[in-house]
Amino acid sequence: MKILKSRRRYTTYMSGLAAVALAALAMSGCGTGLLGTAAGPSAVNLRTAGNYAILAKSGISNVSTSAITGDLGLSPAQGSYITGFSLTQDSSTVFDTSSQVTGKLYAANYGVPTPATLTSAIADMQTAYTDAAGRSSPDHTELGAGEIGGLTLKPGLYKWGTGVDISINVTLSGGSSDVWIFQIGQGLTLATGAKVVLSGGAQAKNVFWQCAGDITVNSTAVLQGIALSQTAIALKTGATANGRLFAQTDVSLEQSTVTEP
Ligand SMILES: *[C@@H]1O[C@H](CO)[C@@H](O)[C@H](O)[C@H]1NC(C)=O
Ligand SMILES: *[C@@H]1O[C@H](CO)[C@@H](O)[C@H](O)[C@H]1NC(C)=O
Ligand SMILES: *[C@@H]1O[C@H](CO)[C@@H](O)[C@H](O)[C@H]1NC(C)=O
């Protein structure tokens, strides 16, 4: 209650200041720091899906040397749909390893308890998607008509009925516990070399990209956050994802780097 009261007082006080100063403060994320509370919606609970860097239902493919930090899970598709990785089966049969994955690879036909563990993780991934997609009362709708390159975005819930393009860097500015949820009606595309830049202490684990279509991270582009696609996620040559890739069809990587938060 104390915090709510002081937030009201703060808001009343702030509303007296010039609009320009208020906008600058909000854009810089300083408002959050002064209040000492998280701004934006509450984070999406990933439950057991949060144990994986990559989850997919139909396939995970790799071309040339990718570097992944975190575990990979594929279900209901079988291990033969993890392609392009030089897999080594652990003697337990519960997981595989790969020289370029700092973590373990799991598929639905591996030894017990992997099948049940993956069924839960995939269900949790879909629950997270539904949670993100179902958040109501967006702070911004159709921002930039779907082109957010060049913008600085403060914490909040953003919604588009269309796809979203990031043609040049976009900056997410806010504190370490602030949350961004992006609800995207079609696909998300990062152009070649375009980066999601986190500033002010913002963390990838608090950024959620809920996408009804494909997520494409073009060559050398950088995605930050939890990618929740109802279809596929593709990282092109030299692309980087700092976060998690959760696809309801397949994930494809080309000489890409994926690092869990
Ligand atoms: C990806 O595939 C290439 C062959 O196309 C292979 O040399 C490389 O080791 C694979 N990367 C991983 C992470 O397994
Ligand atoms: C995009 O962000 C990166 C990393 O912060 C920076 O090095 C690069 O210069 C930026 N590119 C543009 C076009 O602003
Ligand atoms: C992104 O990659 C796709 C697929 O390779 C390509 O068709 C598209 O032109 C690229 N877009 C940009 C803006 O780089």
Side-chain angles (χ1 to χ4, degrees):
M1 279 317 287
K2 221 170 190 173
I3 290 169
L4 284 177
K5 264 186 191 160
S6 73
R7 182 196 276 272
R8 265 200 298 275
R9 273 203 301 275
Y10 176 81
T11 305
T12 309
Y13 166 69
M14 287 308 296
S15 66
L17 293 184
V20 170
L22 181 63
L25 189 65
M27 294 302 271
S28 73
C30 288
T32 309
L34 290 174
L35 282 166
T37 56
S42 60
V44 175
N45 187 349
L46 302 179
R47 299 181 174 79
T48 68
N51 296 332
Y52 300 83
I54 297 178
L55 278 174
K57 293 179 71 174
S58 63
I60 302 175
S61 67
N62 150 60
V63 175
S64 199
T65 353
S66 298
I68 299 158
T69 305
D71 290 346
L72 285 71
L74 177 66
S75 175
Q78 307 215 324
S80 57
Y81 290 91
I82 300 178
T83 57
F85 291 86
S86 318
L87 298 176
T88 303
Q89 190 179 58
D90 186 73
S91 57
S92 67
T93 77
V94 166
F95 63 88
D96 287 346
T97 56
S98 164
S99 61
Q100 288 147 79
V101 177
T102 306
K104 296 170 181 172
L105 298 95
Y106 298 90
N109 59 322
Y110 292 3
V112 171
T114 295
T117 308
L118 283 178
T119 298
S120 298
I122 294 291
D124 288 345
M125 161 180 95
Q126 295 182 164
T127 299
Y129 179 93
T130 305
D131 174 7
R135 298 298 180 93
S136 56
S137 307
D139 302 301
H140 305 274
T141 51
E142 315 304 338
L143 184 69
E147 168 59 76
I148 58 172
L151 300 180
T152 296
L153 307 179
K154 56 183 180 171
L157 177 62
Y158 295 76
K159 183 182 177 73
W160 293 269
T162 61
V164 166
D165 289 314
I166 300 175
S167 61
I168 54 173
N169 287 4
V170 61
T171 301
L172 308 185
S173 177
S176 61
S177 49
D178 293 352
V179 175
W180 290 254
I181 297 177
F182 300 101
Q183 298 173 320
I184 302 172
Q186 296 170 18
L188 169 66
T189 303
L190 275 75
T192 299
K195 296 176 172 62
V196 175
V197 177
L198 302 180
S199 79
Q203 299 197 72
K205 67 172 188 172
N206 293 327
V207 177
F208 302 90
W209 303 92
Q210 174 265 315
C211 216
D214 290 355
I215 297 178
T216 305
V217 184
N218 271 335
S219 183
T220 69
V222 178
L223 179 68
Q224 307 264 6
I226 313 302
L228 296 157
S229 171
Q230 198 168 29
T231 57
I233 300 176
L235 268 60
K236 305 297 183 185
T237 308
T240 298
N242 294 316
R244 303 183 192 280
L245 306 179
F246 293 164
Q248 294 185 29
T249 61
D250 69 285
V251 170
S252 59
L253 310 171
E254 288 172 19
Q255 301 179 354
S256 313
T257 303
V258 180
T259 307
E260 66 181 354

